[in-house]
Amino acid sequence: MASVLVFIDVPGLPLPRASRELLTIARSLGEPAVASPRALGDDVLQALGEYGAGTVYEPADELPDVLVAAKAAFLADAVRAAAPAAVLLGNSFEDREVAARTGIKLNSGVITDAVAVAPDLSVTKSVLAGSYTSTCRVKNGVPVITVKANSVEPAPADVPSAPGRRQLAVSDAGPAARVTGRTEKRDSSRPELSEARVIVAGGRGMDGNFGPVEDLADVLGGAVGASRAATDAGWIEHSAQVGQTGKTVSPQLYISAGISGAIQQKAGMQTAKVIVAINKDPDAPVFEIADFGIVGDVFSVLPQATEEIKKRRS
């Protein structure tokens, strides 16, 4: 059975849901192997083995502190060493750039925004801002595929494996650019936006007060998102932006509060399984794609929903 190489860049436990999803997909296609651009602890190695990873490729020396050039160089070398049937990555901005650079180095086709990968390596992907799906296949080289989060339900292997380590000397690690400084991200117990199964997003209608959005997200165990208007106004950080110029998400439940639903916003969230829209304007475009719509004041609807959920859980 051919191997399927999964690019996973994690500093430690727990394994992100997106990584567990990729390993679950890889098991359905062949024997999972992992390419990690950093040395992993034994605990992380064991966690990867629980999801079927048989081999973990790591750089022999620490990669230079660059953006993605060194990671792409390492992944290309890992592909040459593993000779996999396909390479799977997440669908974040960084993962997609790593995929593109790796495809160029290997002269391989790259498919992004996948929502399913069949055993014959045909790929179902979301196109035109989620308005359609298409089925495609790489015809040249090793397929390099980025997969949207929440595409499958992650499941551990029936029989865990004990992954072996293989260290690779990276042939062309750069640097083309170097990181000169970092700002620590604020700690949060909420899930990562791109991986969250539940997202509550607020827009211009929140009028600068995201408290009700955050309260509902917390009671649902979800992430907080926002429209571009809200992030541009400084009401919430830009990393929360969902849309054409922000993050593309595919949660099980997406609650849109005070967002009109212009095409730029739809582009980032309309592949959600269930969309609930709350807006005081009955003609807001978001109602065209919503599964459930509530015409009302977000400052009345959101607190009522939060309290009712708390009451039913108590």
Side-chain angles (χ1 to χ4, degrees):
M1 183 180 292
S3 67
V4 176
L5 189 63
V6 181
F7 180 76
I8 294 179
D9 183 9
V10 295
L13 294 178
L15 287 181
R17 177 185 170 89
S19 299
R20 291 181 280 124
E21 286 186 28
L22 291 174
L23 289 168
T24 301
I25 295 172
R27 286 205 318 273
S28 71
L29 305 175
E31 296 179 351
V34 169
S36 169
R38 67 180 80 205
L40 299 176
D42 292 339
D43 53 347
V44 180
L45 205 68
Q46 180 180 347
L48 294 173
E50 291 173 0
Y51 280 81
T55 305
V56 175
Y57 294 86
E58 300 170 333
D61 300 304
E62 185 176 349
L63 296 179
D65 192 11
V66 298
L67 301 178
V68 299
K71 293 179 181 180
F74 161 71
L75 180 56
D77 284 340
V79 173
R80 296 184 185 104
V87 182
L88 302 181
L89 303 90
N91 204 56
S92 67
F93 289 136
E94 181 171 300
D95 283 337
R96 281 180 285 177
E97 185 175 351
V98 171
R101 288 175 177 265
T102 302
I104 291 171
K105 290 178 180 294
L106 298 174
N107 195 28
S108 292
V110 177
I111 300 175
T112 60
D113 299 324
V115 294
V117 184
D120 65 356
L121 299 182
S122 59
V123 176
T124 302
K125 63 173 290 179
S126 175
V127 297
L128 295 177
S131 299
Y132 299 91
T133 57
S134 66
T135 302
C136 47
R137 184 196 301 270
V138 169
K139 290 189 175 181
N140 194 66
V142 179
V144 180
I145 304 165
T146 73
V147 183
K148 282 189 171 185
N150 296 311
S151 294
V152 299
E153 189 66 30
D158 293 334
V159 180
S161 59
R165 297 179 188 265
R166 284 197 59 184
Q167 293 190 329
L168 302 174
V170 182
S171 57
D172 179 25
R178 183 175 296 277
V179 177
T180 59
R182 284 188 170 87
T183 300
E184 290 294 325
K185 183 178 179 181
R186 186 181 64 182
D187 287 338
S188 172
S189 59
R190 299 183 185 122
E192 176 65 28
L193 183 63
S194 59
E195 299 178 7
R197 292 171 62 81
V198 176
I199 295 174
V200 184
R204 195 188 305 273
M206 298 312 302
D207 198 25
N209 180 9
F210 264 68
V213 169
E214 294 173 339
D215 291 344
L216 181 57
D218 289 341
V219 80
L220 291 172
V224 173
S227 67
R228 179 171 180 173
T231 60
D232 284 351
W235 299 340
I236 191 169
E237 63 271 11
H238 281 278
S239 60
Q241 184 181 331
V242 175
Q244 198 167 40
T245 54
K247 293 182 178 178
T248 300
V249 297
S250 296
Q252 298 294 312
L253 172 63
Y254 185 92
I255 300 176
S256 169
I259 301 176
S260 66
I263 186 61
Q264 292 87 350
Q265 169 70 193
K266 290 181 184 178
M269 45 66 80
Q270 64 183 4
T271 55
K273 303 298 185 295
V274 177
I275 299 173
V276 178
I278 306 164
N279 201 295
K280 64 183 179 182
D281 179 6
D283 297 320
V286 69
F287 288 126
E288 297 174 5
I289 60 170
D291 298 286
F292 301 95
I294 301 171
V295 178
D297 184 353
V298 290
F299 294 105
S300 173
V301 175
L302 292 180
Q304 288 184 59
T306 301
E307 289 306 314
E308 186 63 25
I309 293 169
K310 288 180 178 178
K311 186 187 304 181
R312 291 177 180 243
R313 287 182 173 176
S314 61

